[in-house]
Amino acid sequence: MRLSQFHLRTTKETPNDAELVSHQLMLRAGMIRKLASGLYTWSPLGLRVLRKVEAIVREEMNRAGAIELLMPTIQPRELWEESGRWAKFGPQLLKIKDRKEQEFCYAPTAEEVITDFARNELSSYKQLPVNFYQIQTKFRDEIRPRFGVMRSREFLMKDAYSFHLHADDLVREYRNMHAAYTRIFTRLGLEFRAVLADSGAIGGDASQEFHVLAGSGEDALAFSTASDYAANVEAAIAAEPAPRPAPGEALRRVETPTQKTCEEVAALLGIALQRTVKSIATMSEDGFVLALVRGDHEVNEIKLGKVAGMAGYRMATEAEILEHLGSQPGFLGPVKPAKAIRVIADREVAALADFVVGANEAGFHIAGVNWGRDLPEPDAVADIRNVVEGDLAADGGQIKLARGIEVGHIFQLGKQYAQALGATVLDETGKAAVMSMGCYGIGVSRIVAAAIEQNHDANGIIWPSAMAPWQVAVCMINPKGDAAVTEAAQSLLGELQAAGLDAVLDDRGLRPGAMFADIELIGIPHRVVVSERGVAAGTFEYRARRAEAAENLDKAALFERLRAG
């Protein structure tokens, strides 16, 4: 391919509304163009990268035994009513009507459609297990689309769904998809981690997210230094705390006239922050609940919401706090509340002795508090906090934190959707049995942005070879129109392509500086310069995208270097 016959439009200016590096560089390289909020046109350059990602995803899904199909992007309301998600999915669901005033939505996901397909196509256990997948456009009406294709409203996704009669078959396919995803991200040349995750709006019994590691990632990840354990902070768990020591202090009321935070109280009393306890007042289906975490920890809202009776909880109002505790915020605690309350203690708090809490009286805290002596044992003990750097992991290692960009997610859905939509097959005894399901998604377009976040420098994108629009750029410098230079460049292009390398010839006639800047900006891994001086010497100027300087190589050495990657 020749760049003189290709649409390539780059720019030096960074758009003002582009915050992330990937958004900035995709716009500067001319990979995408904004149509409306969260909607982008992929240019020929951007599409080359997108299709390369898509091809690897398809190859590995096929290799894993999944079967490709294609489902509509417009889905009828009736299906979503059957699953109970028409109202539950929320404002992200773009709802539309046809000329007959019948309601539809633009697919944000496809659990309902694939389950409808399965209930009509699958009738016997002999057809199971089976895994169907598609690579299809999705739409989610994000309240604040941002970061270019990282969080756009329309995006390209690979979604797969497996159907099983037996739970062990589902587990096997879940592991199969985990292995397939590992191969996909490895082939794409990305540094990634698979982490335990919360299933969120999709639901399910078990799930893992695949994250591309990048400092700009939205998600905080926790991993152990002693094993491959890794989890999203929403799901990460530290080791069990040590057993609770015996009480060693007397209960005492201490004056804290202006000290409302745990940090301020600890400083005033001259004690470690770990000996203070935060009291978070909430309202749940069981009424008023006080959630307790150590002063150096933060409540994990998702974990707290999974404690029995806490689904859909909210923060208590000041009036509700005053009614149940008899105090204003800043001095709250579980000792002698004004009314009977439910107390949920984090595991670390349940293991504390001689700790400090609010006295439920403005200007005072209580020190030397002990469970069983000064207040009843908590109504529930659970892991309800975020892990922190340095926590002890269950495997004996230390917890470390990193940032990641979620690009894939695998779920064991179980029977949730099949039960709701009546998707059954006849089992070995001839009886109707509800199928179990797995769900496996990859954000194909998001991978492109995530790769840039992980691989860039001041000059532009640095594509992993498998994702690059071209692996090699042959840059022709021929201001005099020397036929020998043109012939050498064209000949080299042909030889590179014959050797299986995806190469492009930059024959636009630009000055070297402008030409090289473009090639670096769009992230081509290898640059080869053909010039009058090089032709005369029988050499080519070669520079890898990450190299500090260029080097002159003869053809044999050049091909050896390119084959080595």
Side-chain angles (χ1 to χ4, degrees):
M1 181 175 287
R2 299 163 179 256
L3 284 185
S4 62
Q5 300 171 357
F6 186 81
H7 178 78
L8 178 64
R9 187 184 177 193
T10 62
T11 179
K12 295 180 180 179
E13 292 75 29
T14 300
N16 293 328
D17 62 344
E19 301 173 56
L20 285 188
V21 168
S22 59
H23 191 191
Q24 296 169 359
L25 291 178
M26 289 182 81
L27 288 170
R28 285 189 55 210
M31 292 180 63
I32 56 172
R33 291 292 181 251
K34 184 176 178 179
L35 176 65
S37 177
L39 302 176
Y40 291 88
T41 297
W42 287 77
S43 74
L45 179 72
L47 189 61
R48 286 187 67 88
V49 178
L50 190 65
R51 290 292 183 247
K52 289 197 172 187
V53 175
E54 183 181 332
I56 289 175
V57 170
R58 179 174 283 110
E59 288 169 12
E60 291 299 337
M61 290 301 294
N62 292 343
R63 176 183 170 187
I67 305 167
E68 187 170 10
L69 49 57
L70 189 63
M71 293 176 276
T73 56
I74 304 299
Q75 304 178 355
R77 172 177 178 164
E78 289 77 12
L79 271 182
W80 283 73
E81 291 281 14
E82 284 189 70
S83 69
R85 292 205 298 175
W86 182 257
K88 191 182 296 183
F89 204 87
Q92 281 192 332
L93 193 63
L94 179 63
K95 301 175 181 178
I96 54 180
K97 292 183 180 181
D98 65 9
R99 66 178 67 194
K100 297 179 182 178
E101 293 297 302
Q102 293 178 319
E103 290 188 277
F104 296 83
C105 66
Y106 196 114
T109 182
E111 284 79 18
E112 284 80 3
V113 175
I114 196 65
T115 307
D116 177 70
F117 177 82
R119 70 180 173 183
N120 289 302
E121 295 290 322
L122 305 177
S123 57
S124 169
Y125 74 94
K126 295 179 181 179
Q127 295 170 278
L128 304 180
V130 65
N131 188 336
F132 299 110
Y133 81 96
Q134 66 171 351
I135 299 176
Q136 174 68 291
T137 300
K138 300 290 190 296
F139 187 96
R140 295 180 186 175
D141 199 3
E142 294 277 357
I143 190 170
R144 186 174 163 241
R146 59 195 189 279
F147 309 148
V149 300
M150 187 74 77
R151 190 168 290 281
S152 57
R153 293 193 292 171
E154 184 181 75
F155 53 93
L156 187 65
M157 181 179 178
K158 186 284 298 177
D159 46 328
Y161 306 89
S162 61
F163 293 86
H164 311 268
L165 187 59
H166 302 295
D168 54 351
D169 278 338
L170 172 57
V171 173
R172 274 193 293 271
E173 186 61 16
Y174 182 86
R175 291 172 179 165
N176 181 37
M177 286 294 100
H178 185 286
Y181 277 35
T182 299
R183 292 194 301 269
I184 287 168
F185 297 118
T186 299
R187 284 185 60 186
L188 289 171
L190 300 172
E191 186 182 357
F192 67 96
R193 278 221 179 228
V195 303
L196 300 174
D198 180 72
S199 296
I202 303 297
D205 303 321
S207 73
Q208 284 176 284
E209 294 172 352
F210 286 76
H211 286 259
V212 169
L213 301 184
S216 58
E218 288 186 292
D219 295 298
L221 312 178
F223 60 93
S224 172
T225 58
S227 71
D228 60 357
Y229 172 79
N232 193 300
V233 290
E234 297 169 351
I237 299 174
E240 289 275 358
R244 181 196 303 167
E249 297 181 5
L251 188 71
R252 60 194 185 279
R253 185 165 166 267
V254 293
E255 190 171 358
T256 53
T258 61
Q259 290 76 20
K260 294 184 177 183
T261 69
C262 288
E263 290 81 2
E264 292 170 340
V265 172
L268 177 70
L269 301 181
I271 61 174
L273 183 59
Q274 292 89 330
R275 290 183 56 194
T276 65
V277 171
K278 292 178 185 175
S279 298
I280 296 90
T282 70
M283 293 298 294
S284 76
E285 58 187 46
D286 292 338
F288 189 90
V289 179
L290 205 61
L292 306 180
V293 295
R294 258 177 23 189
D296 58 329
H297 291 157
E298 298 294 334
V299 166
N300 184 308
E301 295 180 2
I302 290 177
K303 290 182 180 179
L304 180 57
K306 289 183 175 181
V307 176
M310 293 299 289
Y313 80 91
R314 62 171 173 82
M315 302 306 293
T317 64
E318 289 198 16
E320 290 166 337
I321 292 171
L322 185 62
E323 176 189 353
H324 290 87
L325 298 180
S327 177
Q328 66 187 61
F331 303 96
L332 308 183
V335 180
K336 295 182 180 179
K339 296 175 68 173
I341 63 171
R342 183 183 180 208
V343 175
I344 299 175
D346 180 68
R347 297 182 307 172
E348 299 284 349
V349 172
L352 284 178
D354 304 325
F355 54 92
V356 178
V357 297
N360 292 323
E361 179 184 354
F364 290 92
H365 278 71
I366 301 176
V369 179
N370 284 274
W371 296 107
R373 186 192 73 179
D374 308 313
L375 75 169
E377 294 289 342
D379 298 289
V381 176
D383 172 32
I384 60 171
R385 71 172 178 95
N386 286 330
V387 296
V388 296
E389 185 100 12
D391 273 339
L392 184 66
D395 58 19
Q398 272 199 338
I399 294 289
K400 297 291 184 181
L401 300 182
R403 306 298 301 182
I405 300 167
E406 183 189 345
V407 290
H409 206 158
I410 58 177
F411 303 84
Q412 292 182 38
L413 288 177
K415 299 183 178 181
Q416 174 182 345
Y417 293 94
Q419 188 81 56
L421 274 70
T424 64
V425 295
L426 297 179
D427 65 15
E428 297 92 336
T429 66
K431 294 182 179 179
V434 176
M435 292 180 282
S436 291
M437 293 174 58
C439 172
Y440 320 96
I442 283 182
V444 178
S445 50
R446 181 177 252 218
I447 286 173
V448 176
I452 296 172
E453 290 295 327
Q454 190 180 85
N455 299 278
H456 67 271
D457 63 13
N459 296 323
I461 303 165
I462 307 175
W463 289 115
S465 182
M467 296 179 63
W470 299 280
Q471 295 169 300
V472 185
V474 178
C475 297
M476 186 170 68
I477 301 176
N478 193 15
K480 300 177 183 178
D482 189 330
V485 174
T486 301
E487 182 181 350
Q490 293 175 350
S491 176
L492 178 61
L493 177 67
E495 291 180 68
L496 291 169
Q497 293 171 337
L501 293 165
D502 190 4
V504 65
L505 175 61
D506 193 343
D507 59 345
R508 294 175 295 166
L510 300 180
R511 294 190 305 274
M515 186 190 309
F516 298 164
D518 272 357
I519 298 304
E520 288 194 320
L521 174 60
I522 66 177
I524 309 302
H526 306 282
R527 186 187 79 199
V528 181
V529 177
V530 181
S531 65
E532 184 178 358
R533 180 184 301 175
V535 169
T539 61
F540 302 92
E541 182 185 285
Y542 166 75
R543 183 176 180 182
R545 179 61 179 82
R546 294 183 184 274
E548 293 292 329
E551 52 188 323
N552 292 314
L553 305 173
D554 62 25
K555 187 177 291 185
L558 173 64
F559 273 77
E560 184 177 348
R561 188 66 56 86
L562 293 174
R563 279 192 293 266

